[in-house]
Amino acid sequence: MKVALTVAGSDSSGGAGIQADIKTFQAHGVFAMSAITAVTVQNTRKVLAVQEMEPHIVHGQIACLFEDIPIHAVKIGMVSSIRLIETIADALKKVALPPVVLDPVMISKSGYRLLKQDAQDALVRHLFPLADVVTPNIFEAQALAGHEIRNLDQMKDAARSLLDRGAGKVVVKGGHLGGAFSTDILFDGTEFRSLESRRLETRNTHGTGCTFSSAIAANLALGKDFFSAVTLAKQYITGAIEHALDLGKGHGPTHHFYDLYARAGLE
C-alpha cells in the first residue's frame, strides 16, 4: 500500500487540516500518517484558539516516520510561524524526499491574512524549494506574485512568478475569481493547462483547500504524473463539494467519502 504524510494543524471540527487530509488519503486508498503542527479550538463558525506544537516535537514526528516507513508523498498545510517553517524544512532536508505538495495557507477565503509577511517570506525561502507542487488560492497567489489577479492571463503570470521563486510546479486555484465556472491554472514550467468546473452554490465548503491539495498528494503517491494527479484531484473535490455535509451552524465540511458511501448504499 502507498503511504502519504500530512504535516499540518488539527481541526477539532473535523472538516479541514489533519482530519481532512487523513480522510482524503484514505478515500484514495493511500495509508495516512500525520505530523501535527498545531491544535486548534474551532467549529464550523470560527477558530477560537490555536496552540502550536513545540518545534522539536514536530521535527521528531517527521523524522521518526521516515526512519521506519516508506513514504510516497508529503502534504504540508498551514504552518503559522517561522520557527515551525524552519523546523519542517530542516527535517525534510535530512531524508530522501518523495513528491511534496505545499498548500500555502496564508490568506483565508474571505481575504483575511493568516500569515504575517516575515513568515510568508520564510515559507518561500525554506519550503518552496522542497515543494514539487504549490497550490495557492487567488488571494495567496496575489500576495506571492505581488500583483492583482482578475483574469486567467494574470493567473498564468502569477504561476510563472511562483516558479521563479523556487516552486517545482504550480496550481493557481480560481475558486475566488467569481463567475459561473471555477477555473484552475496548472503550470509545470513548460506547459499551461486549465481545469474548469461549474461553480457549486453551497455554504458547506470548509476544508476544500486542504482536501484538494491532499488529493493531489494522494494521486502523486499512487504514481500519477502532475497533470493527471491534479485533474483527478479536481474531480474528487468537485464531488466532495457536491455531496457536502450540512453539519453545524456555519460552513459545513465536504464529504470525503461520498463515492464510498454511494457504492455502499449509504446516505
Side-chain angles (χ1 to χ4, degrees):
M1 175 174 274
K2 300 300 183 181
V3 175
L5 167 65
T6 170
V7 182
S10 168
D11 170 12
S12 54
S13 74
I18 287 286
Q19 287 82 349
D21 299 342
I22 289 173
K23 292 172 188 177
T24 301
F25 291 163
Q26 298 287 168
H28 284 79
V30 174
F31 187 79
M33 302 192 302
S34 64
I36 298 176
T37 60
V39 175
T40 67
V41 178
Q42 67 175 294
N43 53 31
T44 62
R45 293 183 293 177
K46 58 186 175 181
V47 177
L48 294 98
V50 178
Q51 176 65 61
E52 279 193 356
M53 302 298 291
E54 286 296 322
H56 74 278
I57 295 294
V58 176
H59 191 289
Q61 290 177 90
I62 296 169
C64 76
L65 292 174
F66 272 98
E67 287 173 0
D68 183 44
I69 300 168
I71 297 173
H72 303 98
V74 174
K75 177 263 175 82
I76 303 173
M78 184 177 180
V79 282
S80 55
S81 70
I82 295 174
R83 64 178 194 157
L84 284 183
I85 290 167
E86 292 174 343
T87 293
I88 293 165
D90 180 66
L92 293 179
K93 286 176 182 176
K94 294 176 179 176
V95 300
L97 272 185
V100 175
V101 178
L102 172 63
D103 184 15
V105 184
M106 298 162 26
I107 301 175
S108 70
K109 288 182 177 66
S110 62
Y112 180 76
R113 177 170 281 278
L114 303 169
L115 207 61
K116 293 181 180 178
Q117 184 64 50
D118 56 351
Q120 175 184 311
D121 294 341
L123 187 81
V124 172
R125 186 167 61 254
H126 295 290
L127 295 182
F128 268 44
L130 302 177
D132 292 85
V133 183
V134 178
T135 63
N137 63 30
I138 288 291
F139 299 127
E140 290 155 351
Q142 286 182 155
L144 289 164
H147 64 75
E148 194 173 41
I149 299 174
R150 290 187 175 273
N151 54 51
L152 297 183
D153 286 338
Q154 290 174 335
M155 289 174 71
K156 290 179 179 179
D157 290 340
R160 290 190 190 95
S161 176
L162 268 59
L163 254 73
D164 290 342
R165 302 195 70 183
K169 303 174 184 67
V170 178
V171 181
V172 180
K173 299 177 292 188
H176 302 305
L177 205 56
F181 291 88
S182 172
T183 302
D184 300 333
I185 293 297
L186 289 57
F187 185 47
D188 67 352
T190 303
E191 179 183 358
F192 283 102
R193 292 191 192 178
S194 60
L195 291 178
E196 186 178 83
S197 62
R198 182 170 292 279
R199 189 176 303 279
L200 300 169
E201 294 302 325
T202 175
R203 70 171 186 166
N204 300 320
T205 56
H206 183 53
T208 51
C210 304
T211 299
F212 179 56
S213 58
S214 292
I216 296 172
N219 280 294
L220 291 173
L222 292 168
K224 308 296 184 184
D225 63 75
F226 167 65
F227 289 117
S228 297
V230 179
T231 300
L232 290 168
K234 178 80 167 179
Q235 293 169 1
Y236 172 75
I237 188 58
T238 300
I241 295 171
E242 209 167 16
H243 297 85
L245 302 170
D246 193 22
L247 298 175
K249 298 174 183 177
H251 295 284
T254 63
H255 194 339
H256 297 91
F257 297 111
Y258 69 93
D259 186 47
L260 295 175
Y261 274 48
R263 282 187 272 168
L266 300 172
E267 291 296 330

